[in-house]
Amino acid sequence: MDGLMDVVQSILGAGPSVMLPIIIFIVGIIFRVPVKKAIISGITVGIGMIGINLVITVLTTNVGPAAQAMVERFGLNLTIIDAGWPAVSAGTWAQPIAAVMIPVILIVNLIMLALNRTKTLNIDIWNYWHVSSVAATGYIVTKSFFFGILCGILFTIIIQIIADKTAPKVQEYYGLEGISITTGSAQGYAILALPVGWLVDKIPGINKLDVKPETIQKRFGIFGEPMIMGIIIGMFLGLLGGYDFIGILKIGMNMGGVMFLMPRMVKILMEGLIPIQEGAQKLLQSRYGDREIYLGMDAALATGSPAALSTGLLMVPITLFLAVILPGNRVLPFGDLATIPFFAALVVPSRKGNILHSVISLTVVMAAALLMATNFAPVITQMAQGIVKFPDGAAQITNLDTGGNFLKWIFLKLSEVVASIM
């Protein structure tokens, strides 16, 4: 098991920019894409992912310090620290059940494809850790390896179903032809935010407010340009963080850069995926007629949308405000604040890009997420104990990505019920 874990860790340690080209090449060969085209596709996808990660780095290295400055400025004092998804991911992969889950996820996915129970081929192996975290939760709570595997299998099936159901809107709104989003965090937030968004759309007055990037640009001219929106939101975050004038300008320009560059990086990645998608469709049509297949990808592709990015950035101060006023919350949001645009990935298309409706929907869900993250803290702390260096003064850690994820929280509660009767 230790040897298997070492292999898994070394592969995952290479990062998506190395893993994806290899996976895309293999998938391309399986779908009978010419070798030369499969190689070019894989390399193009890898380059696109490098570009996306560079822009995400700009996002996180600016939003993180701004959030910390807000925490210090407003004197927030909460006892459980949001350590972010990297800490929980590291804790997940350290569990003995995690390495087993990679082949299990692939096998379940392929069986569902063969039985025509899903249209999605989940090639986003980098984010398989979301499934592994559910399996690890079941294992830690019940001490049963078998039950942990069962949790992972059930979560895999749920991910496939949600990816299929949300794919049409994802493809239509983001222009990601043949793509579905299989990231567990995006799905966990969407499962609550979608019905909330439907209710928001029924509220008189609010349902008439059309706050989309396109309508903002039409009404406010240059101020509706995505890069200008990014600059304004960035300066707002800097202002809340108590930055000086130059600091406010700097974070504003960086957020404007993120808004401008991210769609271009996503476009490069999509250029590499198109030949694979075409090859898959051609092969399936030859065997199964008009059957469709989607390539399951990271929610990072959605951040090419100004509406998704704007929604996520606006949710940063809102989340901090909720943490202060929400009765029962003990979580200090921090590590996953820059990840919130990913949580918005499946929400924004359902609201047709309406930033206001998306923000309202996610505000309601984030309130629930903070309470779930508080409840999840003991298990996440145990998962990361001895693996992750805890922040100073933190007796427990949690995160919004896993701890505040409704789907994962349901499995936590299921595991506790099973543990009580074992």
Side-chain angles (χ1 to χ4, degrees):
M1 185 64 69
D2 289 340
L4 181 59
M5 278 303 302
D6 290 340
V7 172
V8 170
Q9 293 285 14
S10 61
I11 292 172
L12 292 172
S17 60
V18 174
M19 288 174 54
L20 267 177
I22 297 171
I23 294 167
I24 293 297
F25 172 74
I26 294 171
V27 171
I29 295 302
I30 292 172
F31 289 141
R32 299 180 184 176
V33 175
V35 174
K36 178 181 177 181
K37 188 176 285 188
I39 292 173
I40 296 298
S41 290
I43 293 172
T44 303
V45 168
I47 291 171
M49 186 55 71
I50 288 171
I52 289 172
N53 284 335
L54 286 172
V55 180
I56 288 174
T57 299
V58 174
L59 176 68
T60 54
T61 54
N62 280 272
V63 173
Q68 186 173 12
M70 289 181 220
V71 169
E72 293 172 356
R73 187 182 184 199
F74 296 109
L76 305 188
N77 185 24
L78 298 161
T79 58
I80 302 173
I81 306 298
D82 164 20
W85 72 264
V88 179
S89 173
T92 294
W93 289 121
Q95 303 305 312
I97 200 170
V100 178
M101 285 311 303
I102 291 181
V104 169
I105 295 164
L106 283 168
I107 291 168
V108 172
N109 190 178
L110 293 174
I111 290 174
M112 291 181 72
L113 279 169
L115 297 176
N116 199 18
R117 297 301 180 185
T118 185
K119 297 179 180 180
T120 296
L121 174 62
N122 186 358
I123 61 174
D124 186 22
I125 293 177
W126 178 258
N127 275 314
Y128 278 19
W129 81 266
H130 286 286
V131 179
S132 295
S133 70
V134 170
T137 297
Y139 170 67
I140 287 171
V141 174
T142 66
K143 306 296 188 263
S144 168
F145 204 85
F146 171 77
F147 182 74
I149 295 291
L150 178 61
C151 287
I153 290 172
L154 292 174
F155 193 62
T156 300
I157 293 170
I158 291 170
I159 279 180
Q160 295 296 136
I161 293 171
I162 296 175
D164 286 350
K165 297 295 184 183
T166 55
K169 286 189 181 296
V170 164
Q171 293 171 17
E172 179 186 0
Y173 182 75
Y174 294 126
L176 301 174
E177 185 177 349
I179 299 298
S180 63
I181 290 178
T182 48
T183 309
S185 54
Q187 293 194 353
Y189 276 78
I191 204 73
L192 284 182
L194 297 186
V196 172
W198 182 84
L199 291 173
V200 169
D201 201 36
K202 304 300 179 184
I203 300 174
I206 291 178
N207 60 0
K208 302 296 183 183
L209 297 175
D210 187 16
V211 188
K212 301 176 185 176
E214 299 82 7
T215 54
I216 294 172
Q217 188 172 354
K218 184 177 179 181
R219 293 182 183 181
F220 299 100
I222 189 173
F223 294 103
E225 290 285 345
M227 71 177 80
I228 304 299
M229 288 172 58
I231 290 171
I232 293 170
I233 294 173
M235 291 175 69
F236 175 64
L237 294 177
L239 189 65
L240 288 177
Y243 285 18
D244 60 21
F245 181 67
I246 297 300
I248 290 172
L249 291 179
K250 192 171 181 179
I251 190 174
M253 280 301 299
N254 283 328
M255 291 303 98
V258 168
M259 286 284 204
F260 182 81
L261 292 172
M262 188 63 87
R264 286 154 176 78
M265 298 303 104
V266 172
K267 185 178 180 182
I268 291 171
L269 188 145
M270 286 303 300
E271 286 177 10
L273 287 176
I274 287 171
I276 308 301
Q277 175 64 23
E278 290 175 346
Q281 288 298 134
K282 186 176 179 181
L283 179 63
L284 285 173
Q285 285 175 1
S286 67
R287 292 190 176 186
Y288 303 108
D290 293 330
R291 183 178 170 186
E292 286 185 295
I293 188 168
Y294 307 142
L295 297 180
M297 290 293 291
D298 194 332
L301 294 186
T303 58
S305 159
L309 271 174
S310 298
T311 298
L313 292 175
L314 289 170
M315 283 302 301
V316 171
I318 291 173
T319 301
L320 287 168
F321 177 71
L322 286 172
V324 175
I325 67 169
L326 189 65
N329 173 58
R330 294 169 54 209
V331 176
L332 175 61
F334 178 62
D336 271 340
L337 287 174
T339 313
I340 297 178
F342 295 83
F343 302 165
L346 296 176
V347 180
V348 171
S350 73
R351 299 297 93 218
K352 300 179 181 178
N354 191 317
I355 297 171
L356 177 63
H357 289 191
S358 300
V359 167
I360 293 173
S361 302
L362 277 172
T363 298
V364 174
V365 174
M366 191 58 74
L370 287 167
L371 297 178
M372 288 186 286
T374 298
N375 184 242
F376 221 130
V379 172
I380 290 179
T381 299
Q382 184 178 346
M383 197 183 295
Q385 199 81 46
I387 308 299
V388 177
K389 185 180 183 298
F390 286 18
D392 292 339
Q396 288 187 318
I397 66 168
T398 188
N399 76 334
L400 297 176
D401 193 301
T402 291
N405 184 315
F406 177 67
L407 290 175
K408 295 184 181 183
W409 183 78
I410 289 295
F411 277 93
L412 169 67
K413 296 293 106 180
L414 175 64
S415 300
E416 289 174 347
V417 170
V418 170
S420 69
I421 61 178
M422 287 180 67

